[in-house]
Amino acid sequence: MASNYDERNIKTLEWYEHIRMRPGMYIGKLGDGQSPDDGIYVLAKEVIDNSIDEFAMGAGKKIIIEMSDHSCRVRDFGRGIPLGKVVDCVSKMNTGGKYDSEAFQKSVGMNGVGTKAVNALSTNFVVQSFRDGRCKRAEFSKGILVKEYRECATSGKNGTEIYFEPDASLFKNYRFLPAYMEEKIWNYAYLNTGLTMVMNDKTYVSPNGLLDLLKSRVDDSIRYDIIHCKLKDLEFALTHSNQEGEHYFSFVNGQHTTQGGTHLAAFREAVVKGIRDHFKKEFDASDVRNCIIGAVSVRIQEPVFESQTKTKLGSTTTAPNGPALRSWIVDNVSKELDNYLHKNETVAKAILDRINQNEKLRKELAGVKKLANERAKKANLNNKKLRDCSVHLSDAKNPLRNETMIFITEGNSASGSITKARNPKTQAVFSLRGKPKNSFGLTKKLVYENEEMNLLQAALNIENGLEDLRYDKVIIATDADVDGMHIRLLMMTFFLQFFPELVEQKHLYILQTPLFRVRQKQGAKYETRFCYDENERDMAKDELSKGKGEVEITRFKGLGEVNPDEFKNFIGEDMRLESVTMPPDASLGKMLEYYMGKNTQARQDYIVENLRTEAVEEL
């Protein structure tokens, strides 16, 4: 029987109520700050983006950021919010200067939501604007105006300052880790030459833009000096290395689009076209792009992103009624690249050598790949190795596509527990058999010759790149013991060696599982706490010991010990994931060599020195 439905069922939410009820729509996941894509960093970025837009409009050359465990303060020296609109700009939806294309031609945020989301999701939010010797200040809590101050005289330089403390009831046990903001701050510096950024007294500045970015990421193995070109609203840089796969950094209006989009697809096409045009030869596109490391940045009017977190560009034009974005990028990049190669014959020869080498490797792999694909079919992947889910990332019209994930587990016991506890719509499980091979320094031929790696590649559908990746999150789920940590390292090495874009586009994660179960029997039931480290264990023990009854503590040795009913707590809404990321100044080749190469002297020295340090601390 249908329930009653009348005027009383219709509700109108205040702007801040909607944001607090559906925070994921505005900032992605919540999180506790242990992952660089957690919501608290999105809040900080939303505030900084506004300051960057001021610089882009020629106002203010310095931004100061102060970040502590539970708060963030951002001060810019732009024009300052018009004093009569300070309260409106941070508390009224669809209000802001970015709807005026004359004031903000090519800004990051265009929908007037960013700072409002920060306001609504903070217990303490303070905004101050400084303009021409006058100041306006307002204080909020959870989006509600607490105090509005009268305008007053000030000696402060023009600009805006925002201070906020995320709501601990939403971001549980959160803590800002400034190191996770470092990559974002460096990217701001690379994309805004002439801007000085200071975070917690450390200065970030880049005189050469994307050239500096690539220099920070490559090592001595690159085949030729980095090609760098800067045009109006378009900048790119590229080189070839000895590292398998394609490596890209893409940006729109200063926003790091970790999952690419229209502009990155066009850039990849343009590189192939430019090289084909120069050599007047129809090279296979994969031979041109393999081992490439590149960066592209565009500035366009009114960019359209696929979500509020702005990780993928969906725009098809440079501006309303403007030229097509794809053709604009392809034409300009291919032309500049062709011209550069005509002027630099040494670079052109190095590129040709790399392409010929890639072609040779591709042809050598052809027979191996055919046999591997046949073996994968005979292995009956869906029964033996993969417990698949019903929704996939490639299901473009399914609203659950971005919630899809695959857990890579070790052994039948752990995979069995996760399989019974998972959501079969969006969560798949792939079971490893034994320890994977250390793939550092090996060629992609290994992927096809090793059954485990070949089947994993087939399950993810990434043989030819990430365009058809089946899951938004690829999660390594191993035991928290020495063997589990080793398998975790081997799996990360596999992906970084052969599919680095999986990491660069923020698809690879580590599942954090609890080390302890602390419980106390209360009548016929238990009050149970799951703890992820010794501190949480001790706190839970102290809290539960205040009641009646003895506290029972269990140390989990492996995932297989956790029953499916308990496992639902660890892979549901409160799942703790740690994103696998590259340090902002790390060379992939050098990092893999250090951690996964043969016993290098540097690694031996590090281990010995830290053993000494621990011994001294124990004494």
Side-chain angles (χ1 to χ4, degrees):
M1 183 177 179
S3 58
N4 291 332
Y5 175 65
D6 55 29
E7 287 83 356
R8 291 171 296 179
N9 298 106
I10 306 300
K11 296 181 179 180
T12 301
L13 296 176
E14 293 289 343
W15 67 272
Y16 56 84
E17 290 178 310
H18 186 269
I19 293 174
R20 291 179 62 80
M21 182 179 292
R22 300 283 187 269
M25 290 177 59
Y26 301 91
I27 63 165
K29 68 175 185 175
L30 293 173
D32 60 1
Q34 296 302 308
S35 178
D37 60 349
D38 281 347
I40 58 173
Y41 303 112
V42 177
L43 298 183
K45 191 182 118 352
E46 290 288 353
V47 176
I48 297 170
D49 280 349
N50 290 335
S51 300
I52 293 294
D53 286 338
E54 283 293 305
F55 170 78
M57 293 301 296
K61 295 184 177 181
K62 188 175 184 179
I63 299 171
I64 299 173
I65 303 161
E66 297 174 5
M67 187 168 280
S68 65
D69 283 355
H70 299 102
S71 67
C72 180
R73 186 188 306 273
V74 179
R75 170 69 156 102
D76 68 41
F77 298 91
R79 294 165 292 185
I81 302 171
L83 301 188
K85 292 292 185 178
V86 168
V87 172
D88 289 355
C89 279
V90 299
S91 64
K92 286 189 177 181
M93 296 294 273
N94 306 317
T95 300
K98 294 171 189 176
Y99 296 104
D100 181 355
S101 292
E102 293 299 318
F104 289 90
Q105 285 286 337
K106 297 180 174 74
S107 66
V108 175
M110 295 299 293
N111 53 14
V113 173
T115 354
K116 285 81 164 176
V118 183
N119 187 354
L121 301 175
S122 298
T123 48
N124 188 8
F125 178 92
V126 182
V127 57
Q128 292 186 88
S129 179
F130 305 85
R131 280 177 74 102
D132 304 325
R134 305 291 293 174
C135 175
K136 176 72 176 180
R137 175 186 173 103
E139 299 175 1
F140 296 79
S141 180
K142 301 179 182 178
I144 300 173
L145 181 63
V146 174
K147 187 172 183 178
E148 180 179 0
Y149 294 79
R150 292 182 178 179
E151 283 186 28
C152 64
T154 180
S155 60
K157 294 182 179 179
N158 282 5
T160 302
E161 178 176 296
I162 287 180
Y163 170 88
F164 69 95
E165 299 172 13
D167 186 350
S169 68
L170 296 173
F171 306 93
K172 297 177 182 177
N173 301 314
Y174 81 87
R175 181 164 69 96
F176 277 112
L177 298 176
Y180 280 171
M181 284 296 297
E182 189 168 14
E183 181 181 14
K184 294 178 175 65
I185 301 302
W186 267 123
N187 285 340
Y188 284 127
Y190 293 138
L191 296 168
N192 297 277
T193 55
L195 172 67
T196 297
M197 301 195 72
V198 181
M199 183 173 72
N200 292 358
D201 297 324
K202 180 177 178 180
T203 300
Y204 301 78
V205 63
S206 167
N208 302 305
L210 295 186
L211 177 61
D212 291 335
L213 186 157
L214 283 202
K215 281 184 175 179
S216 73
R217 294 299 185 123
V218 300
D219 55 31
D220 297 336
S221 70
I222 59 173
R223 295 299 186 94
Y224 52 88
D225 290 342
I226 297 168
I227 299 171
H228 180 222
C229 181
K230 195 168 186 177
L231 307 171
K232 184 179 184 298
D233 296 330
L234 173 62
E235 181 182 3
F236 69 89
L238 66 94
T239 186
H240 279 85
S241 69
N242 290 323
Q243 183 66 43
E244 286 277 350
E246 300 178 48
H247 316 254
Y248 298 105
F249 306 90
S250 64
F251 306 88
V252 175
N253 295 6
Q255 166 68 35
H256 188 193
T257 44
T258 54
Q259 295 188 342
T262 314
H263 59 315
L264 180 55
F267 177 65
R268 294 173 71 237
E269 181 183 344
V271 170
V272 174
K273 183 178 187 301
I275 290 175
R276 283 174 173 170
D277 289 347
H278 177 78
F279 291 103
K280 296 179 173 55
K281 186 175 179 180
E282 286 297 306
F283 297 114
D284 188 285
S286 65
D287 295 337
V288 174
R289 294 197 296 246
N290 187 36
C291 301
I292 202 170
I293 175 169
V296 60
S297 172
V298 298
R299 291 196 175 274
I300 60 177
Q301 285 189 27
E302 301 183 20
V304 177
F305 297 96
E306 292 196 359
S307 69
Q308 171 62 20
T309 51
K310 308 181 184 91
T311 57
K312 188 173 183 179
L313 181 69
S315 295
T316 57
T317 62
T318 59
N321 302 316
L325 179 60
R326 174 187 158 278
S327 59
W328 176 68
I329 293 175
V330 170
D331 292 345
N332 280 282
V333 171
S334 61
K335 178 182 176 182
E336 291 297 323
L337 183 55
D338 184 20
N339 290 340
Y340 183 93
L341 295 180
H342 276 294
K343 297 174 184 177
N344 296 270
E345 293 183 3
T346 303
V347 174
K349 183 180 183 305
I351 289 178
L352 184 59
D353 289 344
R354 177 75 263 184
I355 293 172
N356 289 336
Q357 186 177 351
N358 287 339
E359 182 182 25
K360 181 180 177 181
L361 291 171
R362 176 174 57 83
K363 289 179 178 178
E364 287 177 354
L365 275 178
V368 180
K369 287 171 64 173
K370 184 177 180 181
L371 291 173
N373 290 334
E374 290 174 357
R375 287 201 309 270
K377 291 178 181 178
K378 291 179 181 178
N380 202 359
L381 177 62
N382 285 317
N383 289 335
K384 288 189 175 182
K385 305 293 293 182
L386 176 68
R387 277 79 172 179
D388 207 357
C389 51
S390 57
V391 178
H392 297 101
L393 184 60
S394 56
D395 299 338
K397 295 183 179 180
N398 196 309
L400 296 176
R401 62 188 295 265
N402 291 318
E403 297 179 28
T404 55
M405 60 192 74
I406 182 170
F407 297 98
I408 302 173
T409 69
E410 51 169 319
N412 295 328
S413 181
S415 63
S417 294
I418 296 182
T419 299
K420 292 176 183 176
R422 69 178 177 139
N423 178 345
K425 282 187 177 181
T426 57
Q427 295 179 325
V429 182
F430 184 92
S431 179
L432 294 170
R433 185 180 69 244
K435 284 189 178 181
K437 189 177 181 65
N438 182 359
S439 56
F440 171 66
L442 301 177
T443 69
K444 203 169 183 180
K445 187 176 181 182
L446 171 70
V447 179
Y448 298 100
E449 292 179 337
N450 182 284
E451 184 178 23
E452 289 282 292
M453 294 181 178
N454 183 44
L455 292 177
L456 177 57
Q457 174 184 252
L460 299 177
N461 200 28
I462 55 176
E463 179 181 355
N464 299 313
L466 299 193
E467 286 82 0
D468 298 312
L469 177 66
R470 301 178 78 233
Y471 314 96
D472 184 62
K473 291 181 176 63
V474 179
I475 302 169
I476 302 171
T478 60
D479 293 341
D481 57 13
V482 174
D483 282 340
M485 295 295 179
H486 190 207
I487 292 173
R488 184 182 297 182
L489 277 174
L490 292 169
M491 289 309 306
M492 287 192 289
T493 302
F494 166 72
F495 288 120
L496 285 168
Q497 178 75 18
F498 301 119
F499 307 101
E501 57 268 40
L502 201 72
V503 176
E504 290 157 1
Q505 294 187 24
K506 302 293 190 293
H507 288 293
L508 188 63
Y509 293 82
I510 302 294
L511 176 67
Q512 301 295 326
T513 51
L515 293 175
F516 304 98
R517 179 180 61 206
V518 182
R519 64 182 184 179
Q520 181 190 63
K521 195 167 186 179
Q522 297 181 355
K525 296 183 178 180
Y526 283 96
E527 182 173 352
T528 304
R529 308 280 177 85
F530 294 100
C531 308
Y532 289 75
D533 56 38
E534 287 79 2
N535 289 334
E536 288 188 17
R537 176 199 62 192
D538 294 342
M539 289 175 60
K541 181 182 177 183
D542 291 343
E543 290 177 11
L544 292 178
S545 63
K546 294 176 182 177
K548 295 180 180 180
E550 186 176 343
V551 176
E552 173 190 313
I553 299 177
T554 301
R555 168 66 159 90
F556 294 124
K557 295 180 181 179
L559 302 182
E561 292 184 296
V562 184
N563 69 55
D565 288 337
E566 291 174 332
F567 228 117
K568 289 180 180 179
N569 298 302
F570 317 141
I571 60 174
E573 290 184 2
D574 296 328
M575 178 166 48
R576 297 193 190 185
L577 292 178
E578 182 178 351
S579 177
V580 177
T581 59
M582 287 283 292
D585 56 352
S587 157
L588 177 56
K590 287 182 178 179
M591 186 180 71
L592 286 176
E593 171 69 36
Y594 181 83
Y595 286 106
M596 302 306 293
K598 294 181 179 179
N599 290 325
T600 62
Q601 189 61 47
R603 192 169 71 211
Q604 289 183 41
D605 293 344
Y606 176 84
I607 293 170
V608 170
E609 185 60 36
N610 279 273
L611 284 173
R612 288 174 183 162
T613 303
E614 290 180 8
V616 170
E617 289 177 351
E618 288 179 3
L619 290 174

